[in-house]
Amino acid sequence: MMDNFTPGPFTEELVTAGIPEQLHEWLSGYGIGALVAKMGIHFLEMSPERTVATMPVEGNTQVAGILHGGAHVVLAETLGSFAAGMHAGAGRHAVGIEVNATHHRSVAAGTVTGTCTAIHLGGTLTTHEVVMTDDKGRRLSTARITNMIRDNGPARKAD
């Protein structure tokens, strides 16, 4: 049997980022996003209930040489948004409406792992908790992200 899937312009990007093959069609027209690629985020698990990814500290630090607080939030929002998008399903999409983070400890080297766990998966809202840990499993930060689920509509121009 022959596979009829034609690789899109982002296929290599999706493979490099660890996106499972069953999600390539969903992301083939968009890729993972420029910021996600720039931050070096690599996905290990992907489902609406649990999404896990890693991100290097190197290249994502602030002036004091530790992981930038905003990098924690980028990882958290990325994981929560991908999980919510998978929950939304075909014909729908997720838009972030709230994100917050508490930073518990700093990290200056290594890899950060973000583990996103669903708190609520509803028809119009999702909420996920994202815990970032260092290479030793120590909690670095805790974030919460809420996404609104919307129906896809006709394309609109930005204001």
Side-chain angles (χ1 to χ4, degrees):
M1 180 172 181
M2 186 162 196
D3 184 3
N4 291 328
F5 177 71
T6 303
F10 297 102
T11 300
E12 186 176 335
E13 178 181 282
L14 297 174
V15 170
T16 300
I19 302 292
E21 195 170 316
Q22 69 267 22
L23 298 177
H24 284 206
E25 186 175 348
W26 172 48
L27 297 169
S28 65
Y30 306 99
I32 58 169
L35 183 58
V36 175
K38 186 179 289 189
M39 301 291 286
I41 295 172
H42 182 83
F43 294 89
L44 304 174
E45 294 179 40
M46 293 185 77
S47 75
E49 296 81 13
R50 179 180 159 91
T51 299
V52 180
T54 60
M55 179 179 68
V57 172
E58 185 178 352
N60 295 316
T61 57
Q62 46 111 307
V63 68
I66 60 175
L67 184 66
H68 195 289
H72 287 264
V73 177
V74 167
L75 180 57
E77 187 156 356
T78 297
L79 294 173
S81 294
F82 272 78
M86 287 182 280
H87 174 70
R92 305 185 85 200
H93 63 278
V95 293
I97 59 171
E98 191 266 342
V99 64
N100 66 57
T102 301
H103 304 295
H104 309 292
R105 119 185 349 253
S106 64
V107 63
T111 302
V112 172
T113 299
T115 302
C116 172
T117 306
I119 295 171
H120 174 75
L121 295 174
T124 57
L125 287 178
T126 65
T127 303
H128 289 85
E129 178 184 64
V130 187
V131 175
M132 274 62 67
T133 57
D134 65 11
D135 290 329
K136 295 178 181 174
R138 297 177 296 190
R139 186 180 291 235
L140 302 171
S141 63
T142 305
R144 190 186 73 218
I145 177 170
T146 300
N147 283 278
M148 184 179 354
I149 305 297
R150 306 279 313 252
D151 291 333
N152 292 346
R156 288 182 28 185
K157 290 185 353 184
D159 295 330

